[in-house]
Amino acid sequence: MKKRLLAGLLIITIAISNSAIAFASESEQNPEETNIIPDTETDMNEVSVPDTEEPGEQEINADEQNGDEIEGSVLRENDSPQEEAKMPELSYRVHVQTYGWQDFKKTGEMAGTSGQSKRLEAIELSVGESTYAGGIRYRTHVQTYGWQDWVADGAMSGTSGQAKRLEAIQIELTDELKAHYDIYYRVHAQSFGWLGWAKNGEKAGTASYAKRLEAIEVVLTEKGQSAPDTEGQEAYIAPKLQYCTHVQSYGWQSTVSDGALSGTTGIGKRLEGIKINLYDTEDLGYEGGIRYRTHVQSYGWMDWAYDGTLSGTTGKSKRLEAIRIELTGELGNHYSVFYRVHSQTKGWLGWAKDGENAGTEGFSKRLEAIEIKILPKDSADCPDTSAQAYLTTYKDEDLSLNGYVTEKRVIEETVDESESEDSEEIKEEFIETEVFSNGNNQVLGLDYKEGRILESFGITLDQSNPNVPKGTIEYSAHCQSYGWMDWKTGGELAGTSGEYKRLEAIKVRLTGDLAQFYDVYYRSNISMYGWLGWAKNGDASGSQGYSIPINFIQVRLVPKNQSGPIAGGAYVRSSGKGILLPPIRKAVISDYFGPRVAPTAGASTNHKGIDYAAFLNEPIFASKSGKVVEVAYNYARGKYVKIDHGMGLLTLYQHCNSISVQKGQTVSTGQEIAKVGSTGISTGPHLHFEVWENGVPVDPLKYL
């Protein structure tokens, strides 16, 4: 430095001397100006001297080239060469379980232990003197305490003597140091091992998983210089959100996070309440929160709950049936919340997101488990939401019936065959009328009229609502001459068109999710019998073997959790000659013809008929047209009716509660003649039905 100053002074001296000589020479030529002294602040710039406009640059360039001073270089006043920046020295030490404080480590060295399962409990960091102002500050996440306040420059962060583990850490430089250097650090965490590198105040470690830090490495580097790779493995592992559920008989379950299952599966336990909260919105980078609401048994949709408060109930034995979850504030513009539920009967439904419904509504199905996760909207890990996440009931107007009613008309025309004789020609005309019936539980057909039949029918179920259970409603018809025909769906006609073939019986069934959540009931109104009982889920309704047409049909779609009509007595079928019709509609045979064990004292051990179990006062119909030959009471038979059908065939109806015909009266097939009772020797309401052939009782099934 002294040499440079001396060289500069020498150059200035030489320059001044040269100027003086030049001035003196000029003065000899101009004697009048010999006493003028140069102005060093202005006139010196006009004197021929080495270029001094950028002396610092000349000097630096010369130093870069030669590594030493160059004569002729000029330094301006107050200029000084820049000193090389001094790299601060990093040191740090940790307090380790059972070992206490370890020795100080320097940049890049490991502090702590590995493979010994010893927790870090505290840490101190400092940086030495530097050209730049500033220091180092840091904070730790401590067991049970969470994030501690920031400390700086050698102060302790953590605890000592409390057996509390460190779980995560943040480190950063301050002031000018922050602009010139980077601080990198990574931790060895219980169960996870070495995590990735964090830098400049980022979090390193874990949170919410109760995992101890066991070791740490810290590296100080100049900006732009070689540094640890921060890509790849995460430096900080913490949940984005947490949730817990209240489960039937178990109570509140442990808190889980980020897509884990909360609740139970396979043991039929309902969810009763839920709490959801974001773990640390600071980590997500945006302001906002989370809200959610649940559909609760008998209460319906509850009000919104926010950030860890309860939605649902506890202690009331009320099941959760559905849920909605959404993010609030700016957070909702950048992240999506995804969730799916395990529902009774259906199991895992599809993923819903951002306030959509998940679960079921209207079916009384409990939620049993839930999974929830938050992801950036553009994340490649976002779940597929195309599968059905929510199921609700159909509206009544979603079901409709269609078909054709055909009526046969006889036309008599007079034909003039000769001048002296007229004759009549009989023609048949068929009039086909399209019929519709819109709505659940509606009836399809036209008013009864002789010669009018329901020739075909179809059923349509509107599934345009994406949230109704998907599946098909299928139906088949038993037609005159053809028997049972192929299954149809989607309003396609089952039966015939323009052939005047009567529908005699029908079947209706459900498939897919529709069959899991609904039952389908249906019944037929047939000639001579009127309305038969209800059939259900694919059973036959109508008649077979009696050549009786269906006049009307009725269809009812009922959620499985709701009560439908009592099924039974929907189908009458000839098992023998088909000469007789069953005398009762909504009943099943409870005892057959032949030898038996007497059901009660005084009852016959040789059963001369068949018994139909039925409700009290259920109508009893004449099995065939004939003449009433006896109406009486007997201690064994109770009240009874006997009808003569001619050709040696009689029918007998016993244990009646009341009788509506009289002796000598002519009755027609299917006419009501009495009501079911339990008179005489009887164990309960039923009809004992006998058939006599030429004075001898025979098995009624021979004629039915």
Side-chain angles (χ1 to χ4, degrees):
M1 181 67 74
K2 290 180 179 180
K3 288 182 180 181
R4 290 186 177 183
L5 291 173
L6 289 172
L9 290 172
L10 179 60
I11 292 169
I12 294 170
T13 301
I14 293 170
I16 293 171
S17 297
N18 289 339
S19 297
I21 293 169
F23 181 80
S25 174
E26 184 176 352
S27 297
E28 291 177 357
Q29 297 175 8
N30 300 286
E32 295 179 0
E33 299 178 359
T34 54
N35 293 324
I36 299 176
I37 299 173
D39 184 346
T40 57
E41 293 182 2
T42 58
D43 294 346
M44 281 292 288
N45 292 331
E46 299 175 3
V47 180
S48 178
V49 294
D51 184 5
T52 59
E53 289 184 2
E54 295 180 351
E57 181 177 348
Q58 281 188 346
E59 185 181 13
I60 292 170
N61 290 340
D63 288 347
E64 288 177 352
Q65 293 176 8
N66 304 320
D68 203 349
E69 300 85 4
I70 298 179
E71 286 189 2
S73 297
V74 178
L75 287 175
R76 286 181 176 176
E77 189 176 359
N78 297 327
D79 280 354
S80 62
Q82 189 173 5
E83 293 185 14
E84 183 178 353
K86 182 178 180 180
M87 180 78 171
E89 186 176 275
L90 173 70
S91 64
Y92 50 98
R93 68 172 182 164
V94 294
H95 190 278
V96 180
Q97 175 188 355
T98 69
Y99 297 155
W101 285 105
Q102 291 188 332
D103 294 337
F104 279 98
K105 305 295 181 182
K106 297 188 179 301
T107 186
E109 295 180 345
M110 186 187 85
T113 63
S114 178
Q116 299 184 41
S117 301
K118 299 293 185 183
R119 64 180 172 267
L120 300 189
E121 298 178 345
I123 189 170
E124 298 173 352
L125 297 100
S126 61
V127 291
E129 294 184 0
S130 170
T131 307
Y132 306 107
I136 191 169
R137 73 171 194 158
Y138 41 95
R139 68 171 182 164
T140 53
H141 189 281
V142 178
Q143 174 186 355
T144 69
Y145 297 155
W147 284 106
Q148 305 296 285
D149 292 334
W150 290 91
V151 299
D153 302 319
M156 184 186 79
S157 181
T159 63
S160 177
Q162 298 185 40
K164 299 291 186 184
R165 63 181 173 265
L166 299 188
E167 297 177 345
I169 191 169
Q170 291 175 270
I171 309 172
E172 65 182 12
L173 302 173
T174 62
D175 299 332
E176 292 181 354
L177 282 181
K178 188 173 185 178
H180 294 276
Y181 296 96
D182 289 317
I183 187 85
Y184 292 84
Y185 41 99
R186 67 170 183 163
V187 297
H188 190 281
Q190 175 188 354
S191 303
F192 294 102
W194 284 107
L195 299 178
W197 288 93
K199 75 171 185 177
N200 300 338
E202 296 172 349
K203 294 175 180 177
T206 69
S208 183
Y209 300 112
K211 301 298 182 183
R212 62 181 173 265
L213 298 190
E214 298 177 348
I216 187 171
E217 293 177 358
V218 189
V219 175
L220 184 66
T221 67
E222 291 185 62
K223 284 192 179 292
Q225 300 300 311
S226 178
D229 183 9
T230 58
E231 300 297 326
Q233 188 177 5
E234 291 181 287
Y236 179 61
I237 301 175
K240 291 182 175 64
L241 84 164
Q242 297 178 312
Y243 45 100
C244 61
T245 54
H246 192 277
V247 178
Q248 174 188 355
S249 73
Y250 295 156
W252 286 108
Q253 302 299 283
S254 299
T255 298
V256 299
S257 59
D258 295 337
L261 182 150
S262 183
T264 63
T265 61
I267 58 176
K269 298 291 184 183
R270 64 179 174 265
L271 298 188
E272 298 177 343
I274 189 169
K275 299 176 182 179
I276 310 171
N277 67 280
L278 299 177
Y279 181 74
D280 190 346
T281 54
E282 177 184 312
D283 291 338
L284 296 173
Y286 302 97
E287 293 295 325
I290 193 165
R291 69 175 191 166
Y292 42 96
R293 63 189 306 202
T294 52
H295 189 279
V296 179
Q297 173 186 354
S298 73
Y299 296 155
W301 284 106
M302 310 293 280
D303 292 335
W304 289 99
Y306 293 80
D307 303 315
T309 56
L310 169 68
S311 182
T313 63
T314 60
K316 296 184 178 180
S317 300
K318 299 292 185 183
R319 63 181 172 267
L320 299 188
E321 298 177 349
I323 190 169
R324 302 173 188 166
I325 310 173
E326 63 183 29
L327 301 175
T328 63
E330 183 67 13
L331 189 62
N333 295 331
H334 299 274
Y335 284 85
S336 286
V337 57
F338 296 87
Y339 42 100
R340 66 171 184 163
V341 296
H342 191 280
S343 179
Q344 176 187 355
T345 305
K346 183 61 180 171
W348 284 109
L349 296 172
W351 287 95
K353 73 171 185 176
D354 297 336
E356 297 172 349
N357 293 337
T360 67
E361 186 176 346
F363 298 110
S364 301
K365 301 296 184 183
R366 62 180 174 265
L367 297 190
E368 297 177 345
I370 189 170
E371 295 175 351
I372 316 172
K373 60 178 70 175
I374 291 179
L375 292 166
K377 286 187 179 292
D378 58 355
S379 173
D381 296 326
C382 291
D384 180 7
T385 57
S386 61
Q388 196 165 13
Y390 173 66
L391 296 169
T392 188
T393 55
Y394 286 90
K395 298 178 181 178
D396 283 345
E397 57 265 31
D398 291 336
L399 184 72
S400 59
L401 307 177
N402 62 291
Y404 280 92
V405 169
T406 305
E407 181 180 346
K408 180 174 68 173
R409 294 179 181 176
V410 177
I411 301 174
E412 297 182 358
E413 294 184 352
T414 301
V415 179
D416 187 5
E417 294 184 349
S418 65
E419 294 181 358
S420 61
E421 184 177 1
D422 290 338
S423 65
E424 292 183 347
E425 180 179 350
I426 298 176
K427 292 184 177 181
E428 291 183 340
E429 179 183 44
F430 298 95
I431 300 175
E432 195 172 49
T433 304
E434 191 171 11
V435 291
F436 298 94
S437 180
N438 295 320
N440 195 24
N441 200 36
Q442 296 302 304
V443 174
L444 181 72
L446 292 177
D447 292 338
Y448 175 76
K449 183 178 181 181
E450 189 69 31
R452 179 183 288 172
I453 63 171
L454 181 64
E455 191 172 353
S456 61
F457 78 104
I459 307 174
T460 302
L461 187 61
D462 183 358
Q463 297 186 331
S464 58
N465 182 348
N467 296 318
V468 294
K470 297 302 186 289
T472 59
I473 184 163
E474 299 179 342
Y475 43 93
S476 175
H478 187 281
C479 294
Q480 174 187 351
S481 305
Y482 296 122
W484 285 108
M485 304 182 75
D486 293 337
W487 290 92
K488 305 293 184 181
T489 188
E492 186 180 3
L493 291 175
T496 61
S497 178
E499 299 184 40
Y500 196 67
K501 299 292 186 181
R502 60 181 171 267
L503 289 184
E504 297 179 343
I506 65 170
K507 295 178 182 177
V508 186
R509 68 187 182 189
L510 306 175
T511 68
D513 286 345
L514 188 59
Q516 285 188 301
F517 288 89
Y518 277 91
D519 291 314
V520 60
Y521 295 84
Y522 44 98
R523 63 176 182 163
S524 303
N525 181 296
I526 65 175
S527 295
M528 295 185 295
Y529 265 64
W531 285 108
L532 298 175
W534 289 93
K536 175 183 176 183
N537 296 340
D539 294 334
S541 171
S543 68
Q544 183 177 340
Y546 298 116
S547 300
I548 301 175
I550 290 178
N551 300 316
F552 309 97
I553 63 171
Q554 186 177 12
V555 181
R556 183 186 298 182
L557 202 58
V558 180
K560 285 187 178 290
N561 62 296
Q562 298 179 14
S563 298
I566 298 173
Y571 187 54
V572 289
R573 180 178 181 178
S574 171
S575 56
K577 298 177 180 179
I579 295 174
L580 301 177
L581 291 181
I584 196 166
R585 299 169 192 165
K586 300 176 182 178
V588 294
I589 297 176
S590 58
D591 205 350
Y592 289 87
F593 179 86
R596 65 170 184 175
V597 175
T600 187
S604 171
T605 57
N606 182 23
H607 204 218
K608 295 181 177 66
I610 57 177
D611 289 344
Y612 290 94
F615 292 107
L616 184 66
N617 290 324
E618 191 77 23
I620 300 171
F621 304 96
S623 287
K624 186 176 175 58
S625 59
K627 183 178 181 180
V628 177
V629 294
E630 192 173 353
V631 175
Y633 175 85
N634 178 281
Y635 83 96
R637 293 177 177 176
K639 295 179 181 179
Y640 69 94
V641 178
K642 184 182 293 185
I643 300 174
D644 186 351
H645 304 288
M647 304 296 292
L649 190 65
L650 289 96
T651 55
L652 179 66
Y653 311 80
Q654 296 183 180
H655 308 301
C656 300
N657 191 46
S658 62
I659 298 172
S660 55
V661 292
Q662 298 177 350
K663 182 178 179 180
Q665 182 178 339
T666 299
V667 296
S668 58
T669 304
Q671 179 179 334
E672 183 176 333
I673 59 173
K675 293 188 181 297
V676 171
S678 186
T679 56
I681 299 175
S682 170
T683 57
H686 74 289
L687 169 66
H688 174 84
F689 177 65
E690 294 183 6
V691 176
W692 289 65
E693 186 181 84
N694 297 319
V696 178
V698 296
D699 188 351
L701 295 181
K702 177 180 176 182
Y703 286 92
L704 290 173

